[in-house]
Amino acid sequence: MIPFNKPYLTGDELARIHDAVMSGKISGNGSFTQWCHKYFMQKFGFEKVLLTTSCTDALEMSALLLDIKPGDEVIMPSYTFVSTANPFLLRGAKIRFCDSRPDHPGMDEDQIASLISDSTKAIVPVHYAGVACDMDKIGALAAKYQLSIVEDAAQAIDSYYVKGGKKKALGSFGDLAAFSFHETKNIQCGEGGLLVVNNPKYRNKSEIIWEKGTNRSAFFRGEVDKYGWVEVGSSFLPSDMLAAFLSAQLEHLEQIQDKRRAIWEQYNERLKPLENRGFLKLPKLPDYATNNAHMFYVICNSLDERSRLIAYMKANGVSAVFHYISLHKSSYFQELHDGRELPLSEYYSDHLLRLPLYYELTEADVDLICRLIHNFYV
Ligand SMILES: *Cc1c(COP(=O)(O)O)cnc(C)c1O
């Protein structure tokens, strides 16, 4: 059986964890956490980052930092994971879901303006499949209406937004941004995340919320001579053992990314003839987006066709899986939704199919998967 995902281990993880354990200090914000922080700042140009226990936690920190309150409205795509919405609902916000783009499952930037009201506080773009949203359009709206931006960059590690010859890492556009290192992502530590703090206004407060409402981080830097309770906060920092695991992955980031991109390109080349003959559709990337090869998907012509393709692949030993049920149609949220139809979001819920993509997937595996899809259609 070719699984949909297989978390990659570089082989260095246990040695790093051993080092962390032997150092005698495995609580949060230890030397491996500091190493990871430095890595993200140097590699992607982020000015302030904090490791978290998940992307969900980084988004919960974001909702706390923006001081989201009951009655506030937050705009985000419906075609996303529940963790984009939950952190804002926990603070009492009202979610206004935006439809997807015709050419891509990401949110349709041109529909955001129609969702903005006097109560709107933030826009939460999700870089679906690691593909950038149009951050110029979203940035202009945020500036015009004085809204905050929180990027859900869970899938977007090592992906960039390119305009006017300049390349900027995703995660550096929002006031805040959140990455995931869940084992289904390109770089993983089982469960893990990162908060990027781009707006300097949130720098101090983010550290305080991270460390249970205390100024412990400033104390360890020698900036204050004792630490205490200065804000309402929580515990969002991971054990240094998790950071040690993550550091082993980060040391191999380029190798992992090269391999994933090669697999993605092989899928794209092998399936292009089927797209040209009108059997299915392949991913389209806007010209300002780079490809971090987080995901390879195909778009079928109908829900029934997709179900039959999934069954055919499964019968032949390949696990291919669909993705999100639109959040506005979920059993939890459908009663809370404002009733607008979001036809493109539902289109991707019913038609999109993700193919296996992981480091150890071989060329022969991809060949087999593409041959199966070819046989199914032709
Ligand atoms: C994976 C994912 C999350 C959640 O990440 P965790 O680290 O599991 O909390 C949130 N949003 C999107 C778009 C994701 O893909």
Side-chain angles (χ1 to χ4, degrees):
M1 186 80 189
I2 299 177
F4 170 68
N5 181 51
K6 187 174 174 210
Y8 176 59
L9 295 173
T10 67
D12 296 337
E13 287 82 359
L14 286 177
R16 295 290 175 282
I17 289 176
H18 182 263
D19 292 347
V21 171
M22 294 316 282
S23 80
K25 187 190 175 299
I26 50 173
S27 58
N29 203 12
S31 58
F32 283 102
T33 299
Q34 301 285 340
W35 187 94
C36 291
H37 285 178
K38 217 170 268 157
Y39 178 91
F40 288 116
M41 293 193 284
Q42 282 169 0
K43 170 87 184 165
F44 301 114
F46 303 142
E47 290 196 6
K48 170 85 190 160
V49 296
L50 293 168
L51 279 190
T52 56
T53 45
S54 64
C55 175
T56 308
D57 265 355
L59 291 167
E60 282 188 27
M61 285 184 75
S62 302
L64 281 164
L65 285 165
L66 298 186
D67 198 21
I68 298 292
K69 290 193 163 63
D72 291 346
E73 293 183 10
V74 178
I75 298 168
M76 64 182 63
S78 177
Y79 193 72
T80 186
F81 189 54
V82 295
S83 288
T84 316
N86 271 324
F88 298 94
L89 288 170
L90 278 169
R91 307 251 61 81
K94 182 173 160 196
I95 308 293
R96 297 276 281 157
F97 283 121
C98 185
D99 206 1
S100 296
R101 289 165 58 122
D103 62 343
H104 188 269
M107 79 200 284
D108 185 348
E109 299 87 351
D110 293 330
Q111 292 193 34
I112 297 172
S114 69
L115 300 174
I116 295 173
S117 77
D118 290 342
S119 303
T120 308
K121 286 282 147 39
I123 305 171
V124 187
V126 179
H127 305 299
Y128 183 78
V131 175
C133 294
D134 188 330
M135 295 315 294
D136 279 334
K137 275 188 189 168
I138 294 172
L141 284 172
K144 181 171 172 192
Y145 296 99
Q146 302 196 345
L147 309 176
S148 302
I149 298 175
V150 179
E151 293 174 76
D152 181 337
Q155 305 171 11
I157 190 80
D158 194 36
S159 203
Y160 300 82
Y161 183 75
V162 190
K163 263 219 176 139
K166 278 209 214 87
K167 190 172 142 180
K168 222 175 135 185
L170 298 187
S172 46
F173 292 89
D175 296 272
L176 300 158
F179 287 91
S180 173
F181 309 116
H182 184 264
E183 71 171 22
T184 51
K185 307 300 202 272
N186 293 26
I187 298 293
Q188 59 103 12
C189 60
E191 302 274 357
L194 183 79
L195 177 73
V196 183
V197 185
N198 295 312
N199 186 334
K201 154 169 134 185
Y202 298 121
R203 256 179 228 164
N204 262 333
K205 200 170 169 185
S206 62
E207 278 184 347
I208 291 167
I209 288 177
W210 192 58
E211 281 264 33
K212 296 123 189 142
T214 71
N215 54 354
R216 192 164 176 270
S217 297
F219 173 72
F220 278 114
R221 283 196 303 266
E223 293 167 11
V224 292
D225 54 18
K226 56 180 189 290
Y227 83 86
W229 189 17
V230 292
E231 289 267 3
V232 62
S234 189
S235 181
F236 290 110
L237 70 178
S239 155
D240 221 40
M241 279 192 284
L242 266 185
F245 187 114
L246 186 66
S247 73
Q249 295 258 316
L250 292 172
E251 281 178 20
H252 294 264
L253 180 120
E254 295 193 0
Q255 166 203 341
I256 292 170
Q257 290 297 86
D258 286 350
K259 184 71 192 291
R260 294 186 71 104
R261 282 198 194 93
I263 294 169
W264 198 100
E265 290 300 337
Q266 194 191 348
Y267 270 132
N268 201 42
E269 264 168 45
R270 293 293 314 271
L271 296 175
K272 205 84 201 169
L274 284 179
E275 183 181 49
N276 292 340
R277 294 168 65 182
F279 288 117
L280 43 67
K281 292 199 194 96
L282 301 182
K284 295 276 166 302
L285 271 66
D287 53 9
Y288 51 75
T290 63
N291 182 15
N292 76 341
H294 173 62
M295 186 194 300
F296 194 90
Y297 60 80
V298 299
I299 297 174
C300 301
N301 292 297
S302 68
L303 176 58
D304 172 62
E305 181 184 295
R306 187 182 70 180
S307 306
R308 285 186 291 112
L309 179 55
I310 292 172
Y312 178 74
M313 304 285 276
K314 192 172 169 202
N316 287 281
V318 175
S319 173
V321 295
F322 53 82
H323 212 181
Y324 306 124
I325 294 169
S326 297
L327 295 183
H328 74 287
K329 287 278 185 179
S330 62
S331 60
Y332 173 65
F333 201 84
Q334 56 187 348
E335 300 292 304
L336 301 167
H337 182 57
D338 53 30
R340 282 171 303 117
E341 302 265 337
L342 303 172
L344 285 160
S345 176
E346 289 172 42
Y347 169 79
Y348 294 109
S349 292
D350 291 346
H351 295 74
L352 186 145
L353 183 66
R354 296 177 294 161
L355 304 180
L357 204 175
Y358 51 88
Y359 189 91
E360 287 168 64
L361 195 69
T362 65
E363 267 189 60
D365 291 334
V366 178
D367 250 18
L368 169 76
I369 295 165
C370 293
R371 234 177 313 123
L372 285 173
I373 297 174
H374 186 272
N375 292 347
F376 174 81
Y377 279 106
V378 183

